[in-house]
Amino acid sequence: MKTFEKEIQRSYEDFIYIPSIMFKSIGYDILNTPKPRWQDLLMRCYFLIGLGSHYYIIYYMMLRIIQWDTLSGDPVTIVRYAEIFFLSVNSEIKIVTFIYYRNRIRKLCNELGRVFPSENSERRYYNVNSFYWPRVIRYGVYYFCFVVLLVVFAPLVQSTCIYLYQRFTIGSEAKFPYLRAYPMQLSFDAKSPLSYLFAEILEFTSSHFYMTFNIGTDIWMMCLSGQICMHFAHLGRVLTNYSPSYERSSEDCEFLVSVVQKHRQVLSFHKELNDIFGMLLAYNLFTTASTLCCVAFYTIVRGLNLEGVSFLSYFFSCAAQFYMVCYYGQKLIDLSEALPEAAYSQTWFNGSLTYRKLLLIIMLNTGAPVVLSAKGIIIISLDTFKNMMNITYKFFAIVRRLLDD
């Protein structure tokens, strides 16, 4: 007998909970959900603090890059700055894109919510739960958040461990090293306990802000893509399970008209999704590949100390993030391509001649796959992920070879 949990299908609110709560954690509520006045003010304040911290860090990073004397002669520092630079560029593009298109994202989200099945029996027919966030995606998000915290706070932990070790070995001569996640000098000297604590708070709020936009924008794109995938899969099942007959030709043709209307509606959702996130995907591909190469180089040079391990973990989290995007791109391709086969799988030979002609037209018109395209530059799929990882591995192998020589 099925348990109560298995009988209950996920609601639309369950699907949008993860991306929504991620942005709420930085004080940004894209859906404008009702909330108490004090909570709204608190969220706005934290958002402004994160925004200010982020651009404060960005300003001094760009300033130190312009002041080349702080970088010249040290390839490790150059790569460290390059890794932060590419990550910041990726995040900046996502921040600007997400805020610029916030109304269109909200509108698309609401439209998908309106066509989401409302009754539990209807949700079961749509097989809603199979399109809920896969466990690997959820764990990937948790892992990414953990790695961000590790990268930000690893220098603090390492500084504390070094100090305690020195305190144990050399006694009162021990000095706290004041290591930080960001290599650049700020507008103040973070070499005292209070200033170091303030620098850590700045770096945490900045990292929390831009890393939420970094992964949260992709999570929203995957959430909306998953809903579109669900509707494509439902259309495929409806076509496969339908049984036409000569006696009800008019009813059969009306059924095909409803399928065409539903297909056009889903295609309009996809077009809006691609218009919003298309250019973002192009930048995401470039900056992710650049970030992976920089992190790989930095990890090789630093070795397997605490800092190296944290950046190696970050390498895997970046790769996993782009894999999740490619996974949903591939799912869109597979489910949209399956529609002609689904139409052919039904007992179409029992239908009238008019029905069969209309079905053939539908098969021809649904033959082209629906893709997430980076503005026509490249199609986002698992092949894209494979190609990017091949490029990263080749870069990794070349750097390793040069260092060994």
Side-chain angles (χ1 to χ4, degrees):
M1 184 177 66
K2 292 184 177 181
T3 62
F4 179 76
E5 290 75 14
K6 288 183 179 179
E7 292 176 355
I8 297 298
Q9 300 290 305
R10 297 280 184 174
S11 67
Y12 187 67
E13 288 70 24
D14 294 330
F15 281 85
I16 64 174
Y17 176 78
I18 292 178
S20 179
I21 199 65
M22 287 188 69
F23 277 93
K24 284 182 180 179
S25 72
I26 60 168
Y28 191 72
D29 184 8
I30 186 174
L31 299 179
N32 293 332
T33 54
K35 62 181 74 64
R37 179 67 176 171
W38 66 266
Q39 187 178 353
D40 182 61
L41 289 174
L42 191 63
M43 290 175 65
R44 289 177 184 272
C45 288
Y46 186 74
F47 180 81
L48 292 175
I49 291 172
L51 183 67
S53 300
H54 170 63
Y55 283 110
Y56 176 85
I57 295 293
I58 292 295
Y59 171 77
Y60 278 98
M61 181 193 70
M62 298 305 297
L63 183 64
R64 302 314 174 199
I65 291 176
I66 294 172
Q67 297 170 346
W68 183 251
D69 292 340
T70 61
L71 303 180
S72 58
D74 188 358
V76 176
T77 304
I78 292 173
V79 172
R80 179 77 178 276
Y81 271 87
E83 180 266 327
I84 298 175
F85 173 78
F86 285 121
L87 178 60
S88 300
V89 168
N90 192 13
S91 299
E92 287 303 311
I93 293 170
K94 289 181 176 181
I95 290 170
V96 172
T97 302
F98 195 85
I99 293 178
Y100 181 77
Y101 287 118
R102 64 189 183 280
N103 292 328
R104 292 176 65 180
I105 294 172
R106 186 186 303 119
K107 181 180 177 181
L108 178 59
C109 181
N110 291 335
E111 287 177 353
L112 286 168
R114 280 193 288 270
V115 299
F116 190 87
S118 56
E119 299 296 329
N120 192 57
S121 58
E122 189 181 4
R123 292 174 186 174
R124 189 178 295 109
Y125 184 61
Y126 268 77
N127 201 13
V128 162
N129 283 358
S130 65
F131 291 91
Y132 185 68
W133 297 100
R135 185 174 298 177
V136 64
I137 301 294
R138 282 177 283 162
Y139 287 169
V141 174
Y142 302 150
Y143 174 74
F144 186 90
C145 297
F146 167 76
V147 167
V148 170
L149 292 175
L150 180 64
V151 171
V152 173
F153 290 111
L156 174 61
V157 174
Q158 189 173 2
S159 297
T160 304
C161 292
I162 292 173
Y163 175 76
L164 292 175
Y165 176 77
Q166 290 180 350
R167 188 78 179 175
F168 180 76
T169 54
I170 60 178
S172 60
E173 297 181 5
K175 294 182 178 180
F176 196 84
Y178 297 105
L179 300 176
R180 292 177 28 240
Y182 294 88
M184 60 275 190
Q185 175 66 39
L186 301 176
S187 59
F188 57 92
D189 185 18
K191 295 294 184 181
S192 66
L194 287 178
S195 61
Y196 182 69
L197 177 62
F198 183 64
E200 285 291 308
I201 294 174
L202 274 175
E203 292 178 356
F204 170 75
T205 53
S206 173
S207 300
H208 183 207
F209 182 84
Y210 77 80
M211 293 307 292
T212 297
F213 270 99
N214 187 298
I215 188 173
T217 304
D218 290 344
I219 293 295
W220 263 116
M221 190 274 295
M222 289 185 280
C223 175
L224 300 176
S225 298
Q227 288 297 300
I228 296 172
C229 287
M230 183 186 73
H231 289 290
F232 273 124
H234 174 68
L235 276 175
R237 282 193 301 273
V238 167
L239 280 170
T240 301
N241 296 332
Y242 190 75
S243 300
S245 68
Y246 284 99
E247 290 76 19
R248 40 190 180 84
S249 175
S250 177
E251 183 181 336
D252 294 340
C253 292
E254 289 178 2
F255 163 76
L256 290 182
V257 169
S258 67
V259 168
V260 170
Q261 290 174 343
K262 178 71 173 179
H263 185 251
R264 286 179 177 175
Q265 184 183 38
V266 178
L267 287 179
S268 69
F269 293 151
H270 164 261
K271 183 180 182 301
E272 181 68 2
L273 179 74
N274 213 41
D275 287 345
I276 294 172
F277 293 99
M279 186 59 71
L280 189 64
L281 290 170
Y283 286 118
N284 196 16
L285 178 63
F286 169 73
T287 53
T288 300
S290 303
T291 302
L292 287 176
C293 291
C294 292
V295 174
F297 176 83
Y298 191 81
T299 304
I300 293 172
V301 174
R302 282 302 186 190
L304 293 178
N305 57 13
L306 181 59
E307 188 179 18
V309 170
S310 65
F311 272 85
L312 182 62
S313 301
Y314 180 65
F315 173 88
F316 288 118
S317 69
C318 285
Q321 180 182 348
F322 192 69
Y323 171 82
M324 291 188 294
V325 174
C326 293
Y327 169 82
Y328 277 93
Q330 186 67 51
K331 201 167 185 178
L332 269 176
I333 294 172
D334 293 341
L335 291 173
S336 60
E337 277 186 332
L339 290 179
E341 183 179 351
Y344 185 77
S345 298
Q346 65 172 244
T347 56
W348 52 267
F349 42 84
N350 291 331
S352 65
L353 181 61
T354 304
Y355 177 85
R356 282 179 277 175
K357 287 181 178 180
L358 290 176
L359 188 64
L360 180 60
I361 293 173
I362 290 176
M363 292 172 65
L364 293 173
N365 290 336
T366 58
V370 170
V371 299
L372 284 176
S373 174
K375 287 298 181 182
I377 299 173
I378 193 168
I379 293 173
I380 303 301
S381 66
L382 291 180
D383 284 337
T384 309
F385 176 78
K386 182 182 69 175
N387 293 334
M388 190 188 71
M389 294 309 297
N390 283 336
I391 293 172
T392 306
Y393 175 77
K394 289 176 182 178
F395 174 83
F396 183 90
I398 291 171
V399 171
R400 189 78 179 178
R401 181 74 178 269
L402 291 174
L403 291 177
D404 289 341
D405 293 342

